[in-house]
Amino acid sequence: MSLGAAAAMPGSPLGTPCWVELCTPDVSTAQAFYGALFGWEFHVKRDPVGSDGRYSIALRDGVQAAGLYRATRGQPTGWSIHLRVNNATATAQRVEHLGGTIRLGPVAIPERGTVLHVIDPSGAPVVFWQPPSGWLFGASLPGMFSGADLNTHDGFAADEFYCRLFGFTSEQIGDEGIDYAEWRIGHEPVLYRCVIDDGHTTVPPHWLVYFETDPTVGTDALAETALGLGGGILTEPYDTPFGRTALLTDPDGAPFAVIDHSCPVDLGVGRAEVDDPYDD
């Protein structure tokens, strides 16, 4: 996936990822971890989304890369993705028509546009966002967003919902029993959808967010750094046609992936970008 260094410029296609954020029980620990891992610096502003009334914006080389906020008691934690819409109110109506469920919104937030929190028909949470004018989101550069997989038990429902909502086309690219689809706008890949193995029925539908590895560091070294910073390695680094990838966790257990697109390996036509992370 390649969205360029500013993925949410005015006029970018609907359905394009325009933000990622981490809901975490410990913002200070998360800042120390991701700051050291990705070279992020943080700007903190007042925002009611955080249980402490604060919202941290991560920047890499002065470009906005992600948001972090503290979870309220009992709130699910982890990384979430925001997909761009141009009219959150109309999107809410369309979401319900297509079988999705509105969790929150549309809610207008000063200087942050309008957000709509949804559960899609496959059961996965997602945020649709009408960003403010001039919003920029760093992507496809080291330490920045690189792509996202929707992991779900119902691939058909997910394909139907997102393709009808945003006009994506869906192309099956998995093999060896992996149901893995690439969603495209025209010929350009935008997002991916993976069906969770039947043996892992207790794993809830979720999005897995990828961050770009600095090729001068490499995925293997980055994974070891994450481990040394108190994180974990769920899937050891491995080669894919998209680049060398690893599935990691931060110190509070939030999963995320890293990928070095500079070193793709040809493993055969149709090879999925990720192995099944739940395959024992």
Side-chain angles (χ1 to χ4, degrees):
M1 177 180 183
S2 179
L3 294 174
M9 292 187 297
S12 61
L14 301 183
T16 299
C18 59
W19 194 235
V20 290
E21 64 183 16
L22 176 68
C23 178
T24 177
D26 189 335
V27 172
S28 295
T29 296
Q31 286 179 336
F33 175 79
Y34 290 102
L37 191 66
F38 292 137
W40 289 352
E41 297 179 340
F42 296 92
H43 169 68
V44 181
K45 58 190 301 184
R46 293 186 180 277
D47 195 308
V49 68
S51 62
D52 56 357
R54 295 154 62 89
Y55 190 87
S56 297
I57 295 179
L59 301 102
R60 167 79 186 242
D61 299 327
V63 179
Q64 296 183 138
L68 286 75
Y69 66 95
R70 193 171 77 180
T72 58
R73 184 181 299 274
Q75 182 179 11
T77 59
W79 283 100
S80 63
I81 189 169
H82 293 44
L83 304 181
R84 184 183 181 275
V85 299
N86 61 11
N87 187 317
T89 300
T91 300
Q93 297 173 351
R94 183 69 173 155
V95 163
E96 293 183 319
H97 176 73
L98 293 174
T101 302
I102 307 298
R103 289 198 303 163
L104 176 67
V107 177
I109 302 174
E111 301 181 358
R112 288 187 58 204
T114 304
V115 296
L116 176 67
H117 290 251
V118 168
I119 300 294
D120 71 30
S122 79
V126 63
V127 180
F128 298 130
W129 190 23
Q130 182 181 336
S133 177
W135 181 261
L136 295 179
F137 170 42
S140 301
L141 294 174
M144 296 182 182
F145 174 80
S146 180
D149 290 344
L150 171 58
N151 292 274
T152 179
H153 299 281
D154 192 340
F156 177 79
D159 291 347
E160 282 284 298
F161 178 73
Y162 290 95
C163 290
R164 292 179 64 186
L165 185 62
F166 294 121
F168 296 156
T169 57
S170 181
E171 180 74 17
Q172 182 63 228
I173 61 171
D175 65 2
E176 298 182 2
I178 298 177
D179 185 350
Y180 191 69
E182 182 177 77
W183 293 340
R184 301 171 181 169
I185 296 176
H187 297 291
E188 292 297 318
V190 179
L191 293 162
Y192 295 84
R193 188 271 299 147
C194 184
V195 171
I196 301 170
D197 184 86
D198 289 340
H200 298 86
T201 57
T202 60
V203 176
H206 63 280
W207 288 89
L208 176 65
V209 174
Y210 289 72
F211 295 98
E212 187 71 27
T213 300
D214 186 337
T216 64
V217 174
T219 295
D220 295 70
L222 195 66
E224 288 300 318
T225 297
L227 198 60
L229 291 169
I233 301 176
L234 290 179
T235 303
E236 295 285 346
Y238 62 98
D239 294 319
T240 80
F242 299 85
R244 192 155 176 82
T245 304
L247 181 58
L248 310 176
T249 61
D250 68 20
D252 290 307
F256 64 99
V258 294
I259 184 167
D260 180 359
H261 280 104
S262 73
C263 52
V265 174
D266 185 4
L267 300 174
V269 176
R271 183 70 175 178
E273 181 169 0
V274 293
D275 293 331
D276 183 352
Y278 310 103
D279 184 4
D280 297 324

